[in-house]
Amino acid sequence: MPPATIRVCLTHALAALRPGALVVGYSGGADSSVLLHALAHDPGARDRGLRAVHVDHGLHADSAAWAQHCRATAAALDVALDVVRVEVDRSGGRGLEAAARSARRAAFARALHSGEILALAHHRDDQAETVLLKLLRGAGPEGLAGMRRLRAFGDGQLWRPLLELPRAALLDYAREHGLRWLEDPSNADTTLRRNFLRAEILPRLRARWPDAQIALAHSALWAGNATDFIEAETRKALAQLQGLDPATLAWRGWLALPDALRDPVLRLWLRELRLDEPAHFHLEELQRQLRDAREDRLPCLRFADTELRRYRDLLYALRPLPAFPADWESAWDGSASLPLPGGGALALSPPRKLEPPLVVRYRRGGERIKPAGSAHTRELRLLLQEAGVPPWLRERIPLVFRDGELVAVGDLFFADAVTNPGMRIRFDPAVAR
């Protein structure tokens, strides 16, 4: 493949790209050196605005010299370069390779201004390695789609314009233009999984199947198309199953989904709530509990910092609720909001000072109230059941007493004694979910 193909590929790719300044992720290696050089010599890229970012992990003794090489190369091309130093967190148990990758991606995301496009030099050989790694991890269609050519990233987008080209084409370009690049010695460490695939496995695959990398890239494209379809169907299904409260899901409808949708619907739901995603065995356990638990049971699945609880027809997603003193009690005159140890706060709307002050506490059992407009005094236990308040929230609803009489249950039920068109007790359960 002639080196000119790189320039032609980039020109066509730029023409199809939405407006936005370009930021090259520049490591100093051969691949990113080719991408930076080619874009620096493309008038269309210059017209958009072009700069580069180098992430210094500080993991190698020569990392400072590498950063200086990148500065000199960018300056020779008249491209502004930012060098970002990061600390790689090795405490997460993910391994150095994954930790460095995570730190690098986070640095790129922070460096990207609104609407900018991060250009990375991944190529077809990288894609083949990624697909094999994902396959060996048991990934589904989304993982087997490998790296996407264009996707949302940080405050902008991530663009891989060379993804369809083999690395040989990039090396030909580098040699023709006399480029100098860095060689990271860690690339020769075959204890790292990607390096092992690159050095040991893919050469053997190519020896037997010369077009192996092309085939893997095609498989990634098919998997990507399937993923896009599944994602669209996932969003439709979630919209049908989600309750009026976004943190609820109709669990019977979820169980009835096809296998291809059940997992992605749950994960999309949790992602949009900014909650943790479960492992595969958590999903299997959730389905077992939902199918097998009796109607009067309250199954709860806990993982990471997330809980999934079933109550009646709905599945609730929430953070674990903090402990609180159930015997807490406080006087409240209504002049200011009252923070509650069980989460949230009580307030009068509009605020006013009440004499004598009210008394606020939590349930202790046996409470009764005569709701405004009701002919009878009712047990609070039954009222909360009829209102569909989930059991784990009932003990956190503040009870308001006047002269020993229960006159308000959060902002759910009020006695005639506090019903006033010009004043209302409001309960904001800020952390009760």
Side-chain angles (χ1 to χ4, degrees), residues 156-190:
Q157 288 188 304
L158 190 156
W159 182 47
R160 297 181 173 98
L162 308 179
L163 200 56
E164 285 79 28
L165 299 179
R167 187 167 194 254
L170 277 66
L171 292 176
D172 287 344
Y173 180 102
R175 295 185 187 106
E176 179 179 285
H177 292 277
L179 302 187
R180 293 175 56 248
W181 62 86
L182 301 168
E183 292 288 354
D184 186 343
S186 69
N187 289 336
D189 181 2
T190 55

Side-chain angles (χ1 to χ4, degrees), residues 133-148:
L133 283 171
K134 296 289 187 179
L135 180 63
L136 293 170
R137 291 172 186 159
E142 183 176 359
L144 296 180
M147 296 178 287
R148 296 303 189 102

Side-chain angles (χ1 to χ4, degrees), residues 54-200:
H54 173 76
V55 178
D56 180 0
H57 301 87
L59 295 175
H60 192 275
D62 292 332
S63 64
W66 295 347
Q68 186 55 40
H69 165 89
C70 292
R71 288 190 183 96
T73 302
L77 293 170
D78 193 24
V79 175
L81 174 76
D82 291 324
V83 175
V84 180
R85 180 69 184 265
V86 297
E87 294 293 331
V88 178
D89 182 6
R90 310 189 194 197
S91 62
R94 296 175 299 167
L96 184 59
E97 182 183 20
R101 182 169 57 250
S102 178
R104 182 168 59 252
R105 292 179 70 83
F108 281 145
R110 289 192 299 270
L112 206 60
H113 302 152
S114 179
E116 285 188 321
I117 300 166
L118 176 67
L120 298 181
H122 293 119
H123 43 74
R124 192 169 68 198
D125 299 40
D126 293 324
Q127 182 75 303
E129 294 165 10
T130 298
V131 172
L132 282 176
L133 283 171
K134 296 289 187 179
L135 180 63
L136 293 170
R137 291 172 186 159
E142 183 176 359
L144 296 180
M147 296 178 287
R148 296 303 189 102
R149 182 181 179 87
L150 184 68
R151 70 174 185 81
F153 182 76
D155 289 330
Q157 288 188 304
L158 190 156
W159 182 47
R160 297 181 173 98
L162 308 179
L163 200 56
E164 285 79 28
L165 299 179
R167 187 167 194 254
L170 277 66
L171 292 176
D172 287 344
Y173 180 102
R175 295 185 187 106
E176 179 179 285
H177 292 277
L179 302 187
R180 293 175 56 248
W181 62 86
L182 301 168
E183 292 288 354
D184 186 343
S186 69
N187 289 336
D189 181 2
T190 55
T191 63
L192 300 177
R193 288 172 294 185
R194 183 176 289 272
N195 291 347
F196 176 74
L197 284 177
R198 183 180 303 147
E200 303 287 342

Side-chain angles (χ1 to χ4, degrees), residues 34 40 44 120 131 143 145 150 185 226 246 262 290 304 333 354 401 426 428:
V34 168
L120 298 181
V131 172
L150 184 68
R262 203 175 305 120
L290 292 177
D333 67 7
L354 302 175
F401 293 81
R426 306 186 69 85
D428 176 18

